[in-house]
Amino acid sequence: MIEQETMVQVCVFEPGAIYNRRREIHAHYGGQRQGGISTPKSAPLIFLFTGESGDQFGYRDGPREDGTFAYCGEGQLGDMGFVRGNLAIRDHIASGRDLLLFEKLRRVGFYRFLGYFTCVGFEYQTGLDRAGNSRRVIIFHLRPTIGGEAPELQEAVSRLSAL
């Protein structure tokens, strides 16, 4: 008897291209449809979503002077810890998962693919949670991995720097 293996479609996203989150990302790969970190079970991927809307929950993502992208961890109340999505980002290399970063557009449900990234470190900062209480926040340092500083990332850096 031959065992049949389920194969996930190869992940092919083009930097700068625009995708509908539900139809073109989650419908094909799975993962949580809400929140900034999505960890599909059927694919070795971690989808990261960034945009202005995170400000209302105390998140502030964006470029850093050293060429990395600061990405705030998940969790709206209390101290952030290394659980769920935060753990997945921190340990993505050891678990063999790729980080894919998408920028939210004004058109509801659509995101621009910024590229593949590697988590090269993190730091703790103090911030406010959704209830206005002080807490420890995890800020991941992400570095572009394929193609270096792609024009799409540079354009995103300019847009996010202007916020």
Side-chain angles (χ1 to χ4, degrees):
M1 173 179 253
I2 299 173
E3 288 186 35
Q4 202 169 18
E5 221 178 279
T6 43
M7 300 283 288
V8 173
Q9 179 183 357
V10 175
C11 178
V12 181
F13 290 101
E14 293 183 38
I18 296 171
Y19 298 91
N20 179 278
R21 182 171 175 169
R22 288 186 186 266
R23 288 192 313 265
E24 298 173 289
I25 299 172
H26 296 302
H28 293 285
Y29 301 100
Q32 301 85 337
R33 293 177 184 249
Q34 294 182 329
I37 303 171
S38 180
T39 55
K41 289 185 170 110
S42 65
L45 308 170
I46 301 169
F47 297 115
L48 306 176
F49 299 95
T50 186
E52 298 175 29
S53 62
D55 290 350
Q56 64 185 326
F57 300 112
Y59 303 150
R60 184 60 126 157
D61 300 338
R64 298 168 50 103
E65 289 183 16
D66 65 359
T68 61
F69 188 89
Y71 187 82
C72 188
E74 69 181 355
Q76 296 178 15
L77 291 170
D79 289 340
M80 288 184 184
F82 287 106
V83 295
R84 295 178 300 279
N86 294 339
L87 182 65
I89 293 173
R90 186 193 71 186
D91 296 347
H92 81 96
I93 294 173
S95 66
R97 299 178 88 176
D98 290 332
L99 297 179
L100 291 81
L101 182 62
F102 293 83
E103 174 192 22
K104 184 173 178 47
L105 302 176
R106 293 195 192 278
R107 186 172 167 203
V108 176
F110 287 86
Y111 292 77
R112 177 178 287 109
F113 179 54
L114 299 181
Y116 294 86
F117 285 74
T118 298
C119 178
V120 295
F122 67 89
E123 64 184 288
Y124 294 110
Q125 291 183 2
T126 301
L128 299 177
D129 68 10
R130 186 179 66 200
N133 298 315
S134 183
R135 65 164 173 172
R136 183 179 67 185
V137 175
I138 299 169
I139 306 296
F140 293 100
H141 304 169
L142 308 179
R143 183 167 306 286
T145 57
I146 296 177
E149 292 288 331
E152 295 78 18
L153 179 60
Q154 292 172 356
E155 290 171 18
V157 165
S158 297
R159 284 190 302 275
L160 292 168
S161 295
L163 298 178

